[in-house]
């Protein structure tokens, strides 16, 4: 019997339209915009100035704290500005804009196609290389990887879990990476295992990807300590706590981190980036992004340089269809509306979803009928109907008591509500205010 997590979960339509589309390299744009905050934590600090010439892979902004990440140029050219830009959410954020001139890379990067491995590196050398390369969680959370690899005093990792679930509807970038870059991913997994000092790694993959499961099983059979774990199809199995429970049976306590149960979780894309950083000396300067939607002419998976305008990816997929209602960054469950399609691709951009007018139309909101479906669906064991009501009345202390900060914002509650109430919208708003209240109290 296939494993899965115990509490809640839903089964939205998969719509993996681009699952069969091989990764295509997107042409380098004429200009890139590279935000200084592409990660959780403090924004990076520029180390270049307007007018400087830069090469691909060159450090252009340094981490400004322990929870921060380096930023590197994804192109070669001239820095034309260091100023605020309008990001995908319409907010003003600092960024470095580079005018592209050729494609000259720094000498340290190994650009050959040959797959290499090294067992001679120490734990410290691996973490140092990951830190220097600016690697972050590429599943969307963008937590600096070196921080996860450095557990707090008194904590010890027992196993590494690799998230190959990709449970969000429509998205297929991780699926294609597992099929086309499996050897590199497995070397990245071994490097991560060595970095945290564990002998066991589990790669969790939902069983709607049988080709990826079989391919990785064949390769992993030659490697000691790496287990491929097929999982029952259920959303949101890609959540850290849900994946840990599904693969190991352990439950992360409320308010706790994965390390509390001996786990360190990393994404498939992150494992690939670790391989490239440690073995090939390549910083995180590009990533695979799914561009998809039922009305798109050519849904696909595109390898693009960070800082590439989102509009360029949509053009590669056939352009914006006439019946488009909204463009979403990510998938339909946890993604957010993009208000500026000229904003750049960043380290955490896993997908671009085009939604038609018909799909985007919201049904009339009706009164809550107290059916309890949102409670049954919540993978964190919360009461979404109650949290939404508390948010409406701004009862933040009560929201804290009801553990709103445990909410992973998966959208299962809104998806299952027969009254089509925007539960997640209310909860997300209240969670933000509650989090601010808690931070102010600590100050």
């Amino acid at each position: 019997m296939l494993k899965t997590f115990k509490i809640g979960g839903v089964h939205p339509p998969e719509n993996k339209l681009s699952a069969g589309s091989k990764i295509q390299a997107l042409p380098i744009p004429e200009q890139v915009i590279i935000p200084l905050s592409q990660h959780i934590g403090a924004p990076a600090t520029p180390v270049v100035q307007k007018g400087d010439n830069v090469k691909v892979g060159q450090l252009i902004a340094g981490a400004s704290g322990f929870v921060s990440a380096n930023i590197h140029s994804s192109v070669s050219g001239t820095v034309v500005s260091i100023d605020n830009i309008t990001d995908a959410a319409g907010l003003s954020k600092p960024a470095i804009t580079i005018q592209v001139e050729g494609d000259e890379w720094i000498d340290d990067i190994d650009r050959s196609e040959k797959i290499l491995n090294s067992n001679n590196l120490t734990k410290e050398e691996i973490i140092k290389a990951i830190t220097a390369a600016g690697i972050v969680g590429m599943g969307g959370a963008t937590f600096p990887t070196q921080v996860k690899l450095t557990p707090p005093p008194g904590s010890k990792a027992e196993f590494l879990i690799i998230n190959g679930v990709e449970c969000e509807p429509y998205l297929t970038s991780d699926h294609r990476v597992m099929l086309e870059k499996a050897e590199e991913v497995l070397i990245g997994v071994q490097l991560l295992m060595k970095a945290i000092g564990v002998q066991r790694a589990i790669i969790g993959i939902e069983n709607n990807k049988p080709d990826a499961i079989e391919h990785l099983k064949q390769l992993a059979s030659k490697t000691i300590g790496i287990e491929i774990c097929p999982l029952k199809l259920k959303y949101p199995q890609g959540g850290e706590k849900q994946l840990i429970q599904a693969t190991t049976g352990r439950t992360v306590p409320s308010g706790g981190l994965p390390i509390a149960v001996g786990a360190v979780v990393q994404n498939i894309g992150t494992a690939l980036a670790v391989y490239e950083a440690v073995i090939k000396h390549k910083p995180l300067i590009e990533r695979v992004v799914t561009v998809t939607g039922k009305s798109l002419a050519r849904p696909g998976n595109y390898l693009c340089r960070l800082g590439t305008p989102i509009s360029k990816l949509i053009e590669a997929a056939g352009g914006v269809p006439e019946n488009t209602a909204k463009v979403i960054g990510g998938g339909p469950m946890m993604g957010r509306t993009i208000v500026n399609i000229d904003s750049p691709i960043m380290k955490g951009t896993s997908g671009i979803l085009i939604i038609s007018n018909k799909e985007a139309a919201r049904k009339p909101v009706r009164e809550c009928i107290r059916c309890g479906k949102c409670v049954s669906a919540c993978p964190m064991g919360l009461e979404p109907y109650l949290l939404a009501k508390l948010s409406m009345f701004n009862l933040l202390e009560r929201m804290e008591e009801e553990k709103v900060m445990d909410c992973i914002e998966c959208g299962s509650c809104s998806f299952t509500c027969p009254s089509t109430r925007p539960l997640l919208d209310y909860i997300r708003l209240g969670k933000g205010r509650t989090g601010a209240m808690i931070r102010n109290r600590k100050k």
Side-chain angles (χ1 to χ4, degrees), residues 121-140:
L121 296 168
T122 66
K123 167 183 176 177
E124 291 73 22
E125 287 172 331
I126 294 170
I127 295 177
K128 183 179 179 181
I130 290 170
T131 304
I135 309 297
V136 303
M138 295 177 68

Side-chain angles (χ1 to χ4, degrees), residues 5-202:
F5 58 98
K6 298 175 183 177
I7 302 173
V10 293
H11 296 85
E14 295 178 46
N15 290 321
K16 302 286 189 178
L17 310 177
S18 52
S21 301
K22 291 185 177 181
I23 298 170
Q24 305 172 57
L26 198 72
I28 303 170
E30 296 177 358
Q31 189 179 81
V32 296
I33 299 171
I34 303 179
L36 298 178
S37 184
Q38 300 188 46
H39 48 265
I40 288 176
T45 303
V47 296
V48 293
Q49 297 178 343
K50 181 179 178 180
D52 285 355
N53 291 318
V54 296
K55 297 180 180 180
V56 179
Q58 180 178 328
L59 182 72
I60 57 174
S64 56
F66 178 61
V67 184
S68 186
N70 289 336
I71 304 283
H72 301 79
S73 178
S74 60
V75 295
S76 63
T78 302
V79 175
V80 294
S81 72
I82 302 175
D83 203 353
N84 284 358
I85 56 101
T86 302
D87 71 2
L91 302 174
S92 181
K93 296 287 179 67
I96 297 174
T97 302
I98 303 171
Q99 189 67 35
V100 176
E101 299 161 0
D103 191 31
E104 188 177 356
W105 293 52
I106 61 173
D107 295 335
D108 292 345
I109 299 174
D110 180 354
R111 300 179 64 191
S112 70
E113 294 295 323
K114 186 177 181 181
I115 298 174
L116 304 172
N117 201 348
S118 174
N119 294 317
N120 301 322
L121 296 168
T122 66
K123 167 183 176 177
E124 291 73 22
E125 287 172 331
I126 294 170
I127 295 177
K128 183 179 179 181
I130 290 170
T131 304
I135 309 297
V136 303
M138 295 177 68
T142 66
F143 199 81
T145 301
Q146 77 273 6
V147 179
K148 276 193 174 184
L149 302 181
T150 313
S155 301
K156 179 169 172 43
E158 297 178 41
F159 41 79
L160 171 70
I161 297 177
I162 300 296
N163 188 348
V165 172
E166 201 164 45
C167 61
E168 182 80 41
Y170 285 98
L171 303 188
T172 59
S173 56
D174 284 349
H175 186 179
R176 293 312 311 181
V177 167
M178 287 188 282
L179 289 175
E180 300 180 43
K181 298 286 185 179
E183 290 182 70
E184 294 95 320
V185 166
L186 290 178
I187 295 170
V189 173
Q190 290 175 282
L191 291 167
L192 287 166
M193 290 169 67
K194 194 168 186 178
I196 58 176
V198 299
Q199 302 300 314
R200 183 187 179 202
I202 306 168

Side-chain angles (χ1 to χ4, degrees), residues 229-271:
C229 182
L231 300 169
K232 182 180 178 180
L233 191 64
K234 187 163 69 164
Y235 177 88
Q237 199 147 230
E240 277 192 335
K241 295 182 179 181
Q242 287 68 39
L243 182 58
I244 291 169
Q245 189 176 81
T247 53
T248 70
R250 299 189 183 186
T251 301
V252 179
S254 174
L257 297 172
I259 195 66
V261 293
V264 172
V265 182
Q266 299 286 356
N267 175 261
I268 281 288
T270 307

